[in-house]
């Protein structure tokens, strides 16, 4: 199982719309709007690194996304 946390900066006029689009991407198990440096975070859980790559690319290509940071989970406690 592969997991990652994606931190996202979203153009201000796209926040709610972008959140709904990201929630529909295969592998995204959670997504929330947040305050701070980033506007949104999404959690991805998939079986393979290829599925992870596909999900991250879909998030980055979503309209309204300005930038992302991907934090891969290396160990669950």
């Amino acid at each position: 199982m592969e997991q990652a946390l994606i931190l996202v900066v979203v153009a201000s006029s796209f926040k709610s719309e972008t959140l709904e689009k990201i929630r529909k991407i295969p592998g995204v198990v959670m997504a929330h709007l947040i305050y701070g440096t980033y506007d949104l975070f999404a959690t991805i859980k998939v079986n393979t690194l290829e599925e992870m790559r596909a999900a991250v690319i879909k998030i980055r290509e979503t309209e309204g996304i300005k930038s992302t940071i991907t934090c891969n989970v290396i160990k669950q406690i």
Side-chain angles (χ1 to χ4, degrees), residues 15-32:
K15 287 183 183 173
S16 294
E17 179 183 326
T18 301
L19 176 64
E20 293 309 314
K21 287 179 182 179
I22 287 176
R23 284 182 170 165
K24 294 177 184 176
I25 293 173
V28 173
V29 295
M30 182 184 341
H32 296 286

Side-chain angles (χ1 to χ4, degrees), residues 1-8 19 21-32 40-62 65 68-76:
M1 174 72 60
E2 302 293 331
Q3 295 183 45
L5 172 69
I6 312 296
L7 300 169
V8 182
L19 176 64
K21 287 179 182 179
I22 287 176
R23 284 182 170 165
K24 294 177 184 176
I25 293 173
V28 173
V29 295
M30 182 184 341
H32 296 286
L40 184 152
F41 81 86
T43 303
I44 299 173
K45 290 186 181 181
V46 292
N47 292 317
T48 67
L49 285 175
E50 186 56 37
E51 290 173 338
M52 177 68 69
R53 180 180 174 278
V56 170
I57 288 171
K58 285 183 182 183
I59 289 172
R60 288 181 178 166
E61 292 176 345
T62 301
I65 299 294
T68 64
I69 292 182
T70 302
C71 305
N72 288 63
V73 174
I74 57 171
K75 181 178 181 180
Q76 286 188 307

